Amino acid sequence: MTVADTTITVPDIGGAEGAEVVEVLVAVGDHIELEQSLIVLESDKASMEIPATAAGVVTELRVAVGDQLSEGDVILQVQSDGAGSDASMPTAEPALGTAAADAATAVDATAAEPAAVEPSAAEVMTVTIPDIGTDGEVDLIELSVVVGQSVAEGDSLVVLESDKASMEVPAPASGTIQALLVSAGAMVREGTPILEMLVSKTATAASPSEPVAAAIPEAPAAAPTPAAGPESASTERPVAPVASVSSVSAAPNSEEDSVYAGPAVRKLAREFGVALTQVPGSGPRGRILKEDLQQFVANALAKPVASTGGGSGIPEVPDVDFSKFGSIDPQPRSRLDKITAANMTRAWLNVPHVTQFDDADITDLETFRKSLKAEAERKGTKMTPMPFILKACAVALNAHPKLKASLADGGETLVYKHYCHIGMAVDTPAGLMVPVIRDVDKKSIWEIGAEVLELAAAAKDKKLRPDQMQGGVFTVSSLGGIGGRGFTPIVNAPEVAILGVSRADVKPVWDGGGFVPRTLLPLSLSYDHRVINGGDAGRFLSDLREMLTDIRRLIL
Ligand code: CAO
């Protein structure tokens, strides 16, 4: 590898004198690649990224934002590692004259603006319409480039529209648009010349005695084409077939065109499918930088699905200025509330929910539970229906293990669990928490009761540890102490089922001979219909109901 000091100067910028440096994209010490953008110049007509004509480490930067530059002004000094040309070296003088003269037959000399590509390493290529899958003419509906514009390989040059699709014709190589040979509205077919561009000359064109210049790589073709031989960077060089590069795509809109961004950023935005009109630019005069686009995409991915909606392509609920209707008091939501909102939305959107309802006759259970009241007080605890419900769930879950399984591998696998840790939704001033009682199936009702009290208190005092909220296979959400006749709980994914418990009430029940007063406990079982079908859920709920109706069944 040859190491040499290389001076990179401002190339021919279309005769623009004193174009302003609006951005410096590199710093001393940076390693730059060939064709990497160095600075952004802005004339009264256009903004241009000036590409590196040599690769290496920047040793000296001669320009700053605000400087006025013209062709030939020094931009920077590079300690070249041999992967580029010395823009100031006369030995790299190319055969531009010949190539330009060849092209002159096809180019309107007055239309041909000078290029941003270093003339000493460039030649003219005529780009034609590639194979577009039809012999007939199609409408050229849009020119995506202007004379003088630098384009990267693959950037859209023109947009075609047939009666079936709209297609972009990509640039077959990086370079600068020299002349446009068609205008919007023209009818074109395969082989129609559309524009001339100056492209980096192939390595073979450089002086063999100059290894630095000889190391300029030929810009690769956008996609392999049968006709593209190794020396095909000429006027006959075919463009890649549209279908293999951009296939059917939406035509860029004119709003996008008015956005202040360079071609590299535009290309990246197209790859991400981001509308640049939505991206705030942090560069000088609002120019959209690559970092802005990256940040925009990162934000979009990280953005929790807002409580008001959004995500998954679902239109967001618009913000309303409630103060228009009366006095308001906006309060920041707690972190827990926001996490809960995101979790609920995620589960709601991902899990196809079904909810099934039943009533358990807990008349006998209630008689028994109340008989334990004094004993509970002696033990310093409290016996609510909750421990019985949890215990009954554990027994029913072990009998119906699918209800405590989880989907994995994107739905390819169903993970069955040999443990039975059950979560319990707890309403706290800070928000909803779900502590998990471990091994409910192995614990006595007294032990479970003690843990319900302990974990509910810890949740309300914000003393729960993360490990006390993990590992649940199923959740019970009891609103029994609060009221209501039934509700449809949201599955706590990746669990596949959740039991909602509402307030028990004494109701008249027909016993075959007459109505008798019975205490009925409303149960609602929501389940993930990808895993649980109605039969699974019905059998589970029936077993659960029977166990709560006759708690002797818990020990069978
Ligand atoms: N029917 C009738 N009475 C009930 C009942 C039911 N299903 N469940 C509880 N009760 C009674 C209790 O027996 C208790 O009365 P006594 O003091 O006279 O015995 C009273 O209601 C209060 O019970 P509790 O709510 O303090 O205790 P619990 O064991 O039933 O529940 C806990 C504990 C932590 C689950 C509960 O306090 C809680 O936070 N519930 C809300 C859960 C929630 O928010 N779910 C919604 C999640 S989805 O938005």
Side-chain angles (χ1 to χ4, degrees):
M1 179 170 42
T2 303
V3 175
D5 263 352
T6 303
T7 304
I8 297 182
T9 59
V10 176
D12 184 341
I13 48 175
E17 290 289 314
E20 189 185 341
V21 179
V22 293
E23 219 176 323
V24 177
L25 305 168
V26 294
V28 171
D30 282 0
H31 185 280
I32 57 170
E33 303 291 337
L34 196 65
E35 298 285 348
Q36 180 178 334
S37 293
L38 302 174
I39 56 172
V40 181
L41 292 180
E42 201 173 47
S43 71
D44 53 356
K45 288 203 195 72
S47 81
M48 299 154 268
E49 289 182 11
I50 305 300
T53 48
V57 176
V58 177
T59 53
E60 192 182 349
L61 196 56
R62 298 268 197 91
V63 294
V65 170
D67 286 357
Q68 313 276 320
L69 301 183
S70 303
E71 181 182 351
D73 286 347
V74 176
I75 300 172
L76 52 78
Q77 204 75 33
V78 153
Q79 191 160 64
S80 170
D81 54 15
S85 68
D86 181 342
S88 65
M89 288 174 89
T91 47
E93 201 59 53
L96 174 67
T98 323
D102 288 345
T105 51
V107 179
D108 175 353
T110 55
E113 291 285 320
V117 168
E118 175 54 42
S120 64
E123 64 182 356
V124 176
M125 173 197 291
T126 301
V127 178
T128 59
I129 297 289
D131 178 0
I132 47 175
T134 170
D135 292 337
E137 289 191 318
V138 295
D139 208 355
L140 189 152
I141 59 163
E142 188 169 314
L143 286 162
S144 313
V145 292
V146 293
V147 171
Q149 183 177 330
S150 295
V151 293
E153 182 192 329
D155 281 357
S156 173
L157 299 175
V158 298
V159 181
L160 308 177
E161 195 169 72
S162 71
D163 50 355
K164 293 203 189 70
S166 83
M167 300 157 271
E168 295 179 2
V169 174
S174 301
T176 305
I177 306 302
Q178 177 84 351
L180 298 172
L181 307 178
V182 286
S183 46
M187 297 303 288
V188 294
R189 55 158 39 99
E190 182 182 350
T192 306
I194 50 172
L195 54 81
E196 302 268 351
M197 55 189 288
L198 276 181
V199 296
S200 294
K201 201 164 158 35
T202 61
T204 51
S207 164
S209 62
E210 241 337 299
V212 172
I216 299 172
E218 181 187 353
T225 59
E231 60 291 292
S232 61
S234 67
T235 54
E236 285 84 44
R237 181 177 180 147
V239 269
V242 172
S244 68
V245 177
S246 54
S247 64
V248 179
S249 62
N253 65 44
S254 53
E255 234 185 304
E256 285 277 296
D257 294 345
S258 64
V259 165
Y260 186 21
V265 170
R266 287 179 188 279
K267 183 172 180 229
L268 199 58
R270 277 200 298 279
E271 286 167 3
F272 284 147
V274 170
L276 279 176
T277 46
Q278 294 177 22
V279 182
S282 67
R285 299 182 204 179
R287 181 182 166 79
I288 301 171
L289 311 178
K290 200 168 163 190
E291 292 72 27
D292 297 329
L293 187 57
Q294 286 163 340
Q295 192 58 50
F296 179 84
V297 173
N299 289 347
L301 291 175
K303 196 173 162 186
V305 180
S307 60
T308 48
S312 301
I314 296 170
E316 278 193 45
V317 177
D319 274 340
V320 173
D321 178 9
F322 299 105
S323 66
K324 284 195 304 198
F325 310 111
S327 163
I328 59 169
D329 178 19
Q331 295 281 341
R333 297 188 76 194
S334 71
R335 195 167 164 269
L336 182 62
D337 277 344
K338 287 190 281 186
I339 291 171
T340 303
N343 287 342
M344 291 292 179
T345 312
R346 189 173 55 206
W348 181 253
L349 290 175
N350 279 295
V351 175
H353 281 73
V354 177
T355 306
Q356 193 153 329
F357 301 89
D358 208 344
D359 286 335
D361 182 339
I362 58 164
T363 312
D364 296 341
L365 189 161
E366 279 297 87
T367 308
F368 178 58
R369 183 180 72 86
K370 282 173 186 159
S371 74
L372 296 173
K373 218 165 181 164
E375 191 179 346
E377 271 168 28
R378 275 202 307 278
K379 287 178 186 275
T381 184
K382 194 174 136 185
M383 187 59 78
T384 67
M386 191 63 165
F388 293 94
I389 295 167
L390 287 165
K391 184 72 178 180
C393 283
V395 176
L397 285 169
N398 283 348
H400 303 271
K402 221 181 187 190
L403 274 286
K404 58 170 182 161
S406 284
L407 282 175
D409 302 332
E412 294 292 313
T413 308
L414 188 61
V415 181
Y416 285 91
K417 298 151 199 168
H418 296 140
Y419 50 89
C420 199
H421 312 327
I422 299 181
M424 168 184 72
V426 179
D427 181 38
T428 81
L432 185 65
M433 291 189 212
V434 186
V436 173
I437 302 174
R438 310 207 100 71
D439 297 316
V440 179
D441 55 337
K442 299 192 177 90
K443 288 180 175 156
S444 71
I445 304 274
W446 285 117
E447 284 172 317
I448 298 167
E451 275 198 58
V452 166
L453 277 182
E454 191 189 314
L455 289 171
K460 284 168 184 163
D461 295 344
K462 300 184 187 163
K463 296 221 169 83
L464 280 180
R465 297 185 314 269
D467 65 285
Q468 290 177 304
M469 292 182 276
Q470 292 166 358
V473 298
F474 180 86
T475 298
V476 175
S477 175
S478 172
L479 291 174
I482 299 168
R485 286 190 294 157
F487 65 105
T488 55
I490 296 177
V491 171
N492 189 13
E495 294 167 19
V496 294
I498 180 169
L499 182 75
V501 180
S502 295
R503 187 164 192 85
D505 256 333
V506 179
K507 290 193 173 154
V509 174
W510 183 254
D511 71 353
F515 283 102
V516 289
R518 305 295 293 180
T519 304
L520 300 184
L521 178 70
L523 303 173
S524 48
L525 179 77
S526 293
Y527 55 90
D528 183 339
H529 210 344
R530 294 173 303 174
V531 178
I532 312 295
N533 58 38
D536 299 325
R539 283 185 286 274
F540 172 85
L541 204 50
S542 291
D543 278 4
L544 186 67
R545 187 195 59 214
E546 280 171 24
M547 274 186 279
L548 290 171
T549 299
D550 184 352
I551 55 168
R552 292 173 305 178
R553 289 179 171 279
L554 287 176
I555 52 168
L556 290 180

